[in-house]
Structures are given as C-alpha cells and as structure tokens.
Amino acid sequence: MSDPGETIVLPVRDALKALPLQDESRAGYERSKFRHWTDADRDGCNTRMEVLLDEAVNAPEQGPICALAGGSWYSAYDDTQFDNARKLDVDHLVPLAEAWDSGASAWTAKEREAYANDLDDPRALIAVSAASNRSKSDQDPATWMPPFEGYRCRYAGDWVADKTRYQLSVDPDEKTALSQILSNCPDSTIEITLIAEAP
C-alpha cells in the first residue's frame, strides 16, 4: 500500500492494472462541490490563468488583474495553434464529474478544491481549444478521445497518471478503452506523486 506524498515510478500499463475497478455513480454530483479557479498564491492570477501563463508557447503580456494580451498557445487535443487566450479553455484532464464518479464523492470539500486547482502536476490541467474541451465535456476515454490521433497515447497515459495520483477508480468500459489505446503505444514509464491514500 502506498501513502500520500510518496512518489512512485512504474510502466503506464502496470499503473492502469493497479487502479481500483468499480462501477461509477454520479449520485449527488454538482460542479459547485469542486471549488475551482482559486488564486492560492494571491498573485491576482487564478488557477485557469496560471495554466495559460505556464503553457503559453509565446508568453502573453500580463496586465492588471491578470488580463492577458498577445501570446500564443498550442491545443494538443486538436493539433491547433491559437493567438487569443479567450479561444482556450483550461480542461481538467479527468473531468470533475468523472472524478466524483470515481471516488471524489467521498472526499472533503477541501480535498475536492485541491483536485480542481492542482498546479503541482502538469498533467492535471491543460489549456486546449474551447471547441475540443466542450466536445469532450465530462466523458471518459470509453466515449471520447482527442481528435488528434498523435496525442492519444499521451492523453491515455496522463489519464492513468492522474487517476493514480488521486487513487480514483476506473469502470470496466473505461479500463477496456484505455487498455486498447495503450496496447498500441510504447509502455512508457510514469512518475506520480500520490495525493490520496491507496485503498
């Protein structure tokens, strides 16, 4: 059993096999139960803006209240470049509703807030085109994968890493889909610092 704060390194396919397998339940879910886009360091930039600043290909100018001007970004979901931050969404790679279904319903409000604003693992949040993010919505890999096929191995690996970090479960269809995707990818090694205690 692994403990919170421990860093583990293992092949991504082994990480997938180790995730708890169980059916999901969305009972009681409300997006408001995950307080998100907070400004933890009180620098005027909330979590969303911090991700946009961090992932900019060319840095934007930063004005008052973290207003961004200029800059450029790359949306990996659909292999598209953008020069306007307003055309981007910041996606929770494992959506909040999916996290709820997979174990976050048992967390405290503070734990859900930490999940929704996780800037410590770059796989947790990603700036992507608004169109691709809204196409994805709260779907898991059984029903949605990035339109850009060249990113799908990375997406599946990051999904497994994120679920491992928080010890969230996978449902049977999700696990099958991830297994199929990863079977066609290099069995890359992932490094994860655990947040939640393994069940």
Side-chain angles (χ1 to χ4, degrees):
M1 184 175 290
S2 301
D3 298 317
E6 181 180 346
T7 297
I8 59 173
V9 180
L10 73 171
V12 65
R13 293 176 199 162
D14 289 348
L16 174 58
K17 290 175 185 174
L19 287 172
L21 181 67
Q22 64 183 43
D23 292 331
E24 297 178 350
S25 171
R26 192 153 300 181
Y29 170 73
E30 295 174 11
R31 188 172 174 84
S32 61
K33 291 184 176 179
F34 291 81
R35 185 168 175 251
H36 54 285
W37 303 163
T38 59
D39 180 8
D41 59 7
R42 299 183 182 180
D43 66 350
C45 296
N46 65 21
T47 301
R48 178 182 183 277
M49 305 308 283
E50 297 279 13
V51 173
L52 289 170
L53 287 166
D54 185 60
E55 295 190 4
V57 176
N58 293 297
E61 293 183 9
Q62 184 178 332
I65 321 176
C66 210
L68 304 184
S72 64
W73 290 264
Y74 173 70
S75 170
Y77 285 1
D78 44 10
D79 191 29
T80 307
Q81 301 278 349
F82 290 91
D83 58 7
N84 185 340
R86 293 181 181 178
K87 294 182 179 179
L88 296 158
D89 283 349
V90 171
D91 183 37
H92 294 91
L93 190 92
V94 175
L96 301 181
E98 170 69 22
W100 176 273
D101 299 350
S102 309
S105 59
W107 296 350
T108 65
K110 200 70 180 172
E111 287 169 333
R112 288 195 287 270
E113 179 180 337
Y115 177 85
N117 298 278
D118 187 356
L119 292 171
D120 293 328
D121 189 321
R123 295 166 290 205
L125 295 163
I126 181 171
V128 293
S129 69
S132 65
N133 183 47
R134 291 163 199 184
S135 168
K136 173 187 173 182
S137 186
D138 56 12
Q139 298 179 83
D140 71 24
T143 54
W144 189 90
M145 285 296 291
F148 177 45
E149 291 187 11
Y151 186 69
R152 289 181 179 178
C153 287
R154 170 73 181 274
Y155 182 80
D158 286 356
W159 184 281
V160 171
D162 209 22
K163 284 219 159 179
T164 301
R165 177 166 163 79
Y166 286 89
Q167 287 299 300
L168 295 169
S169 64
V170 288
D171 67 43
D173 289 346
E174 176 189 357
K175 185 170 188 177
T176 297
L178 287 164
S179 296
Q180 290 174 344
I181 295 158
L182 292 172
S183 70
N184 295 312
C185 304
D187 193 17
S188 56
T189 297
I190 55 175
E191 180 175 322
I192 310 127
T193 300
L194 301 179
I195 295 296
E197 184 171 350

